[in-house]
Amino acid sequence: VIFCHSQDPDHITCHLFPVPPILSVPSPQSFTAQLESLNIAFLNVCSLRKKVKEVEAFISSRRILVLGLAETWLDATISDQELAIPHFSLSRRDRGARGGGVAFYCHSSLAVIRRRDLENEAIEVMWLELKRKGCSSLLGCAY
């Protein structure tokens, strides 16, 4: 998971988190003043469709606000409705062939925009822009 933030458009700070299942990342504002956290997690889920209830329990038990997923194994025949988790939006990038795929579940309290302009067809990666308290952050999930 890649977390980038900036309060100044000319200076962006990025953090690469290898694959620990749970991260507590200070919110962009806390780098200067506040002590809030944005709980971010990453899972290699190996078929999201079969594990939605388990993912929901994981999010709930750890108070996760953003969950990045790899190996979702989704395609166009699987609807977002089948994967819905209450109070979370799902953004996904399906591989379109067997295996792979990345996705994010983001809590509905967060202002999130998918940044397709940063994505590349040759790389299985998805980017989201998170806006919190006057600060923008980029979150990337790659497989």
Side-chain angles (χ1 to χ4, degrees), residues 7 27 29 34 36 131-135:
Q7 291 178 317
S27 69
Q29 288 288 29
Q34 298 178 7
E36 283 181 49
K131 296 187 179 230
R132 274 181 83 176
K133 301 183 181 187
C135 187

Side-chain angles (χ1 to χ4, degrees), residues 15 52 81 85 106 124-125 134 140 143:
H15 307 275
V52 173
Q81 183 83 14
I85 294 178
C106 298
E124 202 161 347
V125 65
Y143 176 68

